[in-house]
Amino acid sequence: MSFRSRVIGCGAYLPERIVSNAELARRLDTSDEWIVQRTGIRQRHVAAPGELTSDLAVHAAERALAAAGLSGADLDLIVLATATPDNTFPATATKVQSRLGMTEGCAFDVQAVCSGFIYALATADNFIRCGQARRALVIGAETFSRILDWEDRGTCVLFGDGAGAIVLASHRDEGGGAPERGVLSTHLHADGRHHDILYVDGGPSTTGSCGFLRMEGKEVFRHAVHRLAEVVDEALSANGLAARDLDWLVPHQANRRIIDSMGRKLDLPAEKVVVTIDRHANTSAASVPLALAEAVGDGRIKPGHLVLMEAMGGGLTWGAALVRW
Ligand code: ACO
């Protein structure tokens, strides 16, 4: 007997305050035109003072649980992806656990920056496949506004805050017959030789303070296009599928040009690619579940659809997940 995980609920949350490109252009040497042309970003949401990553995560989690018809007490696993935890420790997942009323099972954070949600999904899926969890909450939540150097126009215009979550439930995999619904496969990679092209210049063991995000944008862009193309091929061929079988591509939202290049590579019409970067900017680990929640909520992603998610982030880390919804 083997198990497979199915997505049974999705939810998302964005902080109330919206910062437009025009607002940034009033205090920085930048313009709406430059930001839109280079990135596709028009605005981003920014958490209020005192609003923490755990607050965003709890809102998204509550919506995902409501969509699944479950409460926190029904869960036995929380995997929370974030690069902006509330504190150095404990894991933000444990704060979320207590606020959701979940007292058993386990809860921990995963740190893979923008690939974090794919890493967290793969982790939870493997717990379920081996029978160690039955109902898992997978969250991507970030407050990148707190680690941005707001004087650095090369990075601060690119990111936003938000959270997204999905609930996974264990189903017995019958094998054979009609294509099974659920997580078909996940594919994770890292290449630490490039850890210094996208990093935060602080942390408990280096400076003792939190630090600011630093990025060699062009280099990251070059790796992203190449590595994402590879991992997408890997996910499709592992399942004997082709790009034409896909109903939806839900990519990490880092740059519109990277998203468009992936759509072209897969020969997918633009309507099959879920895009939120214009409104959310890059929300790191939250971007994929935010995009998923939007496309499920408005009825684009339907049961039985084949959905491919992919992301690349600091580390470098990258990965993909193929799900029959
Ligand atoms: N407004 C106006 N001008 C700007 C801005 C700005 N906000 N930022 C940079 N510029 C200027 C630069 O100073 C430079 O000027 P110069 O030619 O006089 O020196 C010029 O614009 C071009 O800068 P580049 O950095 O070469 O611009 P590029 O076309 O590479 O775009 C960008 C930059 C948008 C950052 C792009 O490289 C990118 O998206 N990279 C990938 C980011 C990414 O994918 N991250 C994913 C992971 S994120 C994570 O894991 C946290």
Side-chain angles (χ1 to χ4, degrees), residues 270-295:
E271 316 81 72
K272 289 192 164 196
V273 182
V274 180
V275 177
T276 57
I277 188 163
D278 50 332
R279 289 156 292 126
H280 301 173
N282 181 349
T283 56
S284 184
S287 96
V288 169
L290 270 163
L292 272 180
E294 182 171 291

Side-chain angles (χ1 to χ4, degrees), residues 29-30 34 38-39 113-114 144 153-154 157-159 198 215 217-218 220-221 254-255 257-258 282 312-314:
D29 181 14
T30 190
W34 191 96
R38 300 288 177 124
T39 70
V113 203
C114 296
F144 258 52
R153 67 177 184 174
V157 304
L158 303 174
F159 297 92
L198 175 52
M215 176 168 77
K218 266 200 195 327
V220 175
F221 193 104
N255 187 312
R257 290 183 287 149
I258 299 176
N282 181 349
M312 197 204 75

Side-chain angles (χ1 to χ4, degrees), residues 24 28-35 37-41 83 112-116 142 144 147 152-159 198-200 213-222 224-225 228 252-258 277 282-285 311-317:
L24 290 180
L28 272 175
D29 181 14
T30 190
S31 65
D32 178 54
E33 192 193 0
W34 191 96
I35 301 171
Q37 230 174 50
R38 300 288 177 124
T39 70
I41 297 165
V113 203
C114 296
S115 316
E142 303 278 18
F144 258 52
I147 55 163
D152 176 13
R153 67 177 184 174
T155 54
C156 77
V157 304
L158 303 174
F159 297 92
L198 175 52
Y199 69 105
V200 169
L213 182 147
R214 306 293 175 204
M215 176 168 77
E216 289 177 37
K218 266 200 195 327
E219 270 298 283
V220 175
F221 193 104
R222 198 173 60 76
V225 171
L228 291 172
H252 170 50
Q253 313 278 319
N255 187 312
R256 182 71 205 236
R257 290 183 287 149
I258 299 176
I277 188 163
N282 181 349
T283 56
S284 184
M312 197 204 75
L316 293 177
T317 56

Side-chain angles (χ1 to χ4, degrees), residues 132-197:
Q132 204 172 343
R134 290 183 54 245
R135 291 200 186 109
L137 182 62
V138 183
I139 309 173
E142 303 278 18
T143 45
F144 258 52
S145 62
R146 306 270 155 73
I147 55 163
L148 295 175
D149 173 354
W150 287 98
E151 309 278 304
D152 176 13
R153 67 177 184 174
T155 54
C156 77
V157 304
L158 303 174
F159 297 92
D161 300 337
I166 62 173
V167 181
L168 294 179
S170 171
H171 275 260
R172 196 169 296 176
D173 191 347
E174 306 296 347
E180 285 279 353
R181 285 175 58 202
V183 179
L184 301 185
S185 65
T186 57
H187 305 266
L188 302 181
H189 296 277
D191 185 349
R193 288 174 301 175
H194 308 294
H195 68 271
D196 55 355
I197 63 170

Side-chain angles (χ1 to χ4, degrees), residues 228-245:
L228 291 172
E230 271 178 6
V231 79
V232 157
D233 280 345
E234 181 186 329
L236 288 170
S237 60
N239 292 280
L241 293 164
R244 63 177 172 279
D245 298 316

